[in-house]
């Protein structure tokens, strides 16, 4: 127990007793010294280094010639010398309370003081009966312990290993992570290898979760990237593993930090609340700032809509601020809660995207700095495709106008097939490896099977084949056979629809579908942008999506055009 707690208890005893046979000050001081001595004894207790390191996924290497041990935990490298109190962490000296020594009690293993492990590896938990007990806010250790158990459960998803994994989880996550879940996730080990060594560990707080981003190296020398999302009580609320991460983004030349300020916000509440950012111009606007809510495309997206080395939503937020327009962007629900959203029975695009877009609109209306009558919504790709549904479900008529950015006008399943076929044709023409072509042929076959099922009247979200490709089936039946122009033709919310002329994913045929379908409406503005690809970056060669790995930016002209359109909306 900490001495501060003892002080409180002693003060209570003194206040309640009127017959203390000795000086209370001396009694309190003696007990303080006793408690501090016991605390020091616990903290400086020698513990087996290799065993303690293994509990959080750290690696230990012994150099017999130098009589040194090297502990690697992410980017921390700790070097210890046998029978010495000297050690170093990333070159910085760390003096041990007791010399590192070999212990007969621990079968000749090297032992070091527990508080040295805490300091060197940046953990704050306790060593109890030969096990590391992570503290509630010991985020990195909790995450790496969870991932260590996840690896074990992925190999043996039934029984005890799954039960141990569940101990790390919130009730919400525990409900949806099953043996079947882990069987599927464990299959990734066959291709990528089993995660072995932690390369880096970083902790961030987005206002909803403490996120631990850990990079592992597998036994096949392949990197795997994990985000473990922890609730304030220290339990894992969700997690995601990826074979690669986005890198290389560069801010646009027009990014002027003095022109805007950013605030962390939370969109919604309850189980699926989302972290986001409100970007406010620094210039004053009479009546409050107009604001644009940014809605993602298909797939998992962060609030910047990061794709490769591009962050189109961040660029738009910066560019719009220069036009005196505020913006709201947020993590997509299936990125912040990948397992929990997958566990929703009969998941639809409403739960995936529409609900959160409308929650962001409602939040914008409540901020006194924003003009509640000038709330606009921009939907990128799938987000634009479902814009007529977002407007339809806006029961409060809060949306003053909408921007459809590279939005499909037709069926998403047809667009997916066309993309898969184009990728396959290019791979064959370029002579890519047989295994690459084989995987792409499987994707084409899956897309064709998907379309056949969606078009077959005998099937529905409640009745579909057991081998349904690309699940969940409920999501596809909800979004199938989309006809955006038909849904939007009688709506009265002004629209600005634009497309890049170099967009491989959503080509100009989709853009022309909007123009043709909404020809009778007088409140729709259309514009094409030469060279812009699907992430609104200018690219001189024909887009293949490979260029997304190159740093690119949204041209300022696009934000200027959106800002100009917003200003003329009444």
């Amino acid at each position: 127990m900490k001495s501060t707690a003892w002080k409180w208890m002693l003060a209570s005893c003194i206040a309640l007793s009127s017959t203390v046979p000795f000086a209370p000050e001396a009694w309190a001081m003696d007990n303080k010294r006793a408690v501090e001595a016991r605390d020091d004894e616990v903290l400086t207790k020698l513990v087996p280094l290799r065993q303690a390191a293994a509990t959080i996924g750290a690696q230990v290497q012994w150099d017999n010639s130098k009589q040194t041990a090297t502990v690697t935990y992410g980017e921390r490298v700790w070097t210890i010398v046998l029978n010495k109190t000297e050690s170093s962490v990333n070159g910085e000296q760390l003096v041990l309370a007791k010399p590192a020594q070999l212990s007969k009690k621990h079968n000749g293993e090297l032992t070091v003081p527990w508080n040295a492990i805490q300091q060197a590896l940046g953990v704050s938990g306790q060593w109890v009966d030969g096990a590391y007990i992570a503290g509630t806010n010991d985020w990195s250790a909790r995450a790496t312990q969870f991932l260590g158990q996840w690896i074990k459960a992925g190999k043996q998803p039934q029984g005890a290993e799954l039960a141990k994994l569940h101990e790390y989880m919130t009730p919400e996550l525990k409900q949806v992570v099953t043996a079947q879940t882990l069987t599927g996730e464990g299959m990734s080990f066959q291709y990528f290898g089993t995660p072995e060594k932690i390369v880096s560990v970083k902790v961030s707080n987005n206002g909803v979760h403490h996120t631990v981003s850990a990079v592992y190296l597998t036994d096949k020398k392949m990197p795997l990237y994990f985000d473990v999302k922890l609730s304030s009580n220290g339990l894992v609320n969700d997690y995601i593993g990826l074979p690669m991460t986005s890198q290389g983004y560069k801010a646009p030349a027009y990014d002027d930090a003095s022109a805007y300020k950013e605030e962390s916000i939370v969109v919604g509440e309850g189980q699926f609340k989302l972290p986001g950012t409100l970007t406010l111009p620094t210039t004053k606007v009479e009546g409050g700032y107009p604001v644009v809510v940014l809605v993602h495309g298909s797939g998992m997206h962060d609030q910047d809509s990061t794709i490769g080395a591009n962050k189109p939503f961040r660029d738009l937020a910066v560019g719009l601020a220069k036009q005196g327009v505020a913006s709201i962007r947020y993590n997509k629900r299936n990125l912040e809660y990948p397992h929990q959203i997958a566990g929703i029975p009969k998941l639809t695009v409403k739960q995936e995207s529409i609900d959160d877009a409308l929650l962001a609109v409602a939040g914008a209306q409540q901020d006194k700095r924003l003009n509640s009558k000038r709330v606009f919504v921009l939907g990128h790709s799938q987000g634009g495709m479902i814009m007529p549904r977002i407007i339809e479900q806006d029961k409060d008529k809060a949306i003053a106008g909408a921007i459809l950015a590279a939005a499909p006008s037709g069926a998403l399943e047809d667009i997916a097939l066309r993309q898969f076929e184009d990728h396959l044709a290019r791979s064959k023409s370029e002579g890519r490896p047989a295994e690459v072509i084989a995987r792409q042929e499987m994707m084409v076959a899956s897309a064709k099977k998907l379309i056949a099922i969606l078009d077959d009247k005998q099937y529905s979200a409640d009745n579909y084949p057991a081998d349904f490709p690309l699940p969940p089936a409920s999501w596809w039946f909800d979004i199938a056979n989309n006809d955006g122009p038909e849904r939007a033709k009688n709506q009265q919310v002004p629209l600005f629809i634009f497309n890049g002329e170099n967009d491989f994913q959503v080509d100009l045929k989709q853009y022309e579908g909007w123009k043709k379908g909404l020809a009778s409406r007088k409140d729709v503005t259309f514009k094409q942008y030469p060279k812009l690809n699907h992430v609104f970056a200018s690219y001189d060669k024909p887009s293949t999506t490979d260029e997304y790995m190159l740093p690119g930016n949204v041209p300022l002209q696009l934000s200027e055009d959106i800002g100009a359109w917003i200003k003329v909306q009444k």
Side-chain angles (χ1 to χ4, degrees), residues 451-523:
I451 291 171
I453 294 172
L454 294 176
D455 289 344
D456 193 328
K457 300 302 182 184
Q458 70 173 309
Y459 296 125
S460 67
D462 298 314
N463 174 40
Y464 53 86
D467 61 344
F468 186 90
L470 307 176
S474 57
W475 188 91
W476 279 106
F477 277 103
D478 176 55
I479 209 167
N481 300 306
N482 172 71
D483 187 345
E486 178 64 24
R487 193 184 290 262
K489 68 180 183 181
N490 293 320
Q491 292 179 342
Q492 297 178 350
V493 173
L495 303 176
F496 176 30
I497 302 176
F498 71 85
N499 222 96
E501 294 179 1
N502 192 22
D503 190 331
F504 168 81
Q505 292 183 253
V506 180
D507 58 25
L508 290 179
K509 290 181 182 178
Q510 300 298 318
Y511 174 74
E512 292 297 331
W514 289 108
K515 291 186 73 173
K516 180 179 179 181
L518 300 180
S520 62
R521 285 186 55 173
K522 305 303 181 184
D523 58 351

Side-chain angles (χ1 to χ4, degrees), residues 516-536:
K516 180 179 179 181
L518 300 180
S520 62
R521 285 186 55 173
K522 305 303 181 184
D523 58 351
V524 183
T525 300
F526 295 93
K527 188 160 185 177
Q528 297 174 210
Y529 290 89
K531 296 186 179 181
L532 290 199
N533 61 15
H534 194 61
V535 294
F536 318 142

Side-chain angles (χ1 to χ4, degrees), residues 369-380:
R369 296 165 297 179
L370 307 176
N371 189 327
S372 62
K373 295 182 179 180
R374 296 181 62 71
V375 179
F376 299 83
V377 181
L378 181 151
H380 176 217

Side-chain angles (χ1 to χ4, degrees), residues 287-289 364-371:
Y289 299 109
Q365 286 198 302
Q366 294 169 10
D367 193 312
K368 300 301 182 183
R369 296 165 297 179
L370 307 176
N371 189 327

Side-chain angles (χ1 to χ4, degrees), residues 397-409:
K397 307 299 181 186
I399 299 174
I403 301 111
L404 281 62
S409 56

Side-chain angles (χ1 to χ4, degrees), residues 123-149:
V123 297
S124 60
Q126 300 299 320
W127 187 257
V128 180
D129 296 330
Y132 176 68
I133 309 299
T136 301
N137 60 350
D138 198 355
W139 311 114
S140 58
R142 280 183 168 271
T144 52
Q145 284 189 323
F146 165 78
L147 289 171
Q149 183 58 38

